[in-house]
Amino acid sequence: MKNSKISIYEVARLAGVSKSTVSRVISDRGGSVSPETLERVNRAIEQLGYRKNSIAAGLRTRKTYIVLVMIPDVANPFWSEIARAVQDKLEPESYSVVIGSTYWSEEREARYYELAQMSRFDGVILNSVTDNIELIKKLGVPAVLIGERVAAQNIDTVGTDTMQATKVGMQYLYDMGHRRIALATSEHGSERYLSLRARAYKDFLHEKGLPFDPSLVFSVNLNEEGGRELAKRFLAMPDWRNRADSLFCGNDILAIAAMSEFRKFGIIPGIDISIIGMDDVPAASQTYPPLTTVRKPRERIGQAAAELLLRRMENPAGQPEKHLFPGELVVRDSVIDRRKR
């Protein structure tokens, strides 16, 4: 086990080198150190169980070695797995990670912004509730956005290609014979969720020559409560069976909760109504029926966001980067094959 009580002086004494040489090695600035000296220092570090004292280093460099990861809902496995991937990538670089869940609250988000502006963090990785890009850019610390959005042209962004992922799900419904497709998404993060998903939805309908019915676009919170509300509002539509034959949900949590609520009213997903989600959280394969969805690469997104933040903290003046990963269709049993009917 590494020992934070072992000092850099003891490492230098055992390795037979100066304190500054040890400092260059442990700060990853050992390019000017000979291979033989580097090996001696690393051997001494291992033998003594030396661990870098980030607090002391921070007092010298004005760094905290703490990164804030701000997500909308830590209870959603999609976000918790992204946060874990970020943590796994940053901890070996001597950074501690603080997870802040806003639960879609602008007030909570504002409090985290205040902490960032007080120099409590060296960097921020966030999924914004408000999409106030200018405010994020004024935080005073490097920031990486998780999730595609139209307004974020001059800030580092990592996420899924939302329009591509939406069209993948829409195409599958179309290929399975569906022509009256409803969309459920959220007004939270309007640039990201409502505009991009709705734009992909409208574009797809236009490409296929299908009519757009605004009453088939539902705006709800992307959580279990929103899913229950969605199912009730959907079933409250007059003659809903003839108005909609399928439902595309903005995420899996929404879809799973809606499926459960549908069953309470005797409507069986995969038999009476087709439902497709987005994310592919672990529970999606355990529902009844198992949920067809569009998978987002959560681990890759988290790792890429952490790598980008590390580069930005090293080079704050670099050009903004955008990395969008494609969505991947995962076929299960919640979509009816209407071609056979």
Side-chain angles (χ1 to χ4, degrees):
M1 180 177 293
K2 299 294 184 181
N3 188 348
S4 61
K5 295 183 179 180
I6 299 296
S7 72
I8 193 173
Y9 298 99
E10 293 171 272
V11 174
R13 187 182 304 115
L14 180 61
V17 298
S18 67
K19 180 177 73 70
S20 61
T21 297
V22 176
S23 180
R24 286 198 298 274
V25 171
I26 64 178
S27 300
D28 296 324
R29 294 183 288 107
S32 60
V33 178
S34 70
E36 295 80 11
T37 300
L38 184 64
E39 182 180 353
R40 288 209 313 274
V41 172
N42 284 329
R43 189 164 56 243
I45 288 173
E46 186 64 30
Q47 183 175 335
L48 292 172
Y50 171 79
R51 185 178 66 188
K52 182 178 178 180
N53 189 331
S54 296
I55 296 176
L59 293 174
R60 294 190 299 271
T61 64
R62 296 182 180 274
K63 295 183 67 174
T64 65
Y65 290 92
I66 301 174
V67 166
L68 170 66
V69 177
M70 190 165 64
I71 55 178
D73 188 357
V74 72
N76 185 332
F78 175 78
W79 292 112
S80 60
E81 289 184 32
I82 284 180
R84 183 176 63 183
V86 170
Q87 184 172 349
D88 289 346
K89 189 68 179 180
L90 290 180
E91 282 191 341
E93 304 296 330
S94 299
Y95 286 93
S96 296
V97 173
V98 172
I99 309 297
S101 184
T102 63
Y103 295 104
W104 304 108
S105 166
E106 294 184 16
E107 289 76 17
R108 284 195 179 96
E109 180 173 285
R111 287 200 293 271
Y112 286 122
Y113 283 163
E114 289 176 3
L115 289 174
Q117 290 170 329
M118 293 167 61
S119 300
R120 299 291 180 87
F121 309 107
D122 290 340
V124 178
I125 295 174
L126 74 158
N127 180 273
S128 172
V129 175
T130 61
D131 278 341
N132 191 332
I133 304 302
E134 289 305 313
L135 178 59
I136 295 169
K137 291 166 65 175
K138 293 177 182 177
L139 289 178
V141 296
V144 174
L145 282 167
I146 296 180
E148 183 187 10
R149 60 202 70 191
V150 175
Q153 300 303 312
N154 297 308
I155 191 167
D156 294 316
T157 305
V158 176
T160 304
D161 185 335
T162 303
M163 292 191 68
Q164 177 269 346
T166 301
K167 289 184 178 181
V168 164
M170 294 285 292
Q171 184 65 53
Y172 179 68
L173 290 171
Y174 185 87
D175 291 343
M176 295 295 280
H178 296 78
R179 298 296 183 267
R180 302 185 306 280
I181 305 169
L183 174 71
T185 183
S186 172
E187 292 180 353
H188 289 298
S190 59
E191 286 292 340
R192 181 175 63 263
Y193 289 115
L194 187 58
S195 294
L196 290 173
R197 279 175 172 79
R199 183 187 304 174
Y201 174 77
K202 292 178 182 179
D203 286 352
F204 186 87
L205 295 179
H206 178 73
E207 291 167 7
K208 301 300 183 183
L210 300 176
F212 170 69
D213 182 351
S215 69
L216 295 183
V217 178
F218 297 86
S219 178
V220 292
N221 291 327
L222 299 179
N223 54 25
E224 292 184 12
E225 181 182 353
R228 292 189 290 269
E229 177 189 344
L230 168 64
K232 293 174 182 176
R233 287 170 54 186
F234 186 92
L235 296 177
M237 289 192 303
D239 196 25
W240 70 264
R241 290 181 185 272
N242 290 321
R243 293 184 62 187
D245 57 21
S246 53
L247 177 59
F248 190 119
C249 292
N251 71 10
D252 288 345
I253 299 300
L254 185 67
I256 292 168
M259 289 169 64
S260 177
E261 193 69 18
F262 276 129
R263 288 195 295 272
K264 293 179 183 178
F265 290 90
I267 308 302
I268 308 302
I271 296 177
D272 300 309
I273 181 72
S274 290
I275 298 181
I276 187 169
M278 185 178 287
D279 288 347
D280 193 31
V281 299
S285 63
Q286 306 300 317
T287 60
Y288 174 72
L291 178 66
T292 294
T293 187
V294 181
R295 176 183 294 148
K296 293 182 179 180
R298 299 178 294 278
E299 185 174 356
R300 290 178 67 193
I301 291 172
Q303 289 177 345
E307 291 168 356
L308 182 50
L309 183 65
L310 288 169
R311 292 198 298 274
R312 183 60 63 220
M313 290 190 294
E314 186 70 22
N315 180 23
Q319 288 296 313
E321 299 181 32
K322 178 178 287 190
H323 301 278
L324 299 179
F325 299 101
E328 177 187 355
L329 181 69
V330 180
V331 176
R332 296 193 178 101
D333 301 327
S334 63
V335 173
I336 305 163
D337 187 351
R338 294 193 175 273
R339 299 170 301 179
K340 299 177 180 179
R341 298 192 173 190

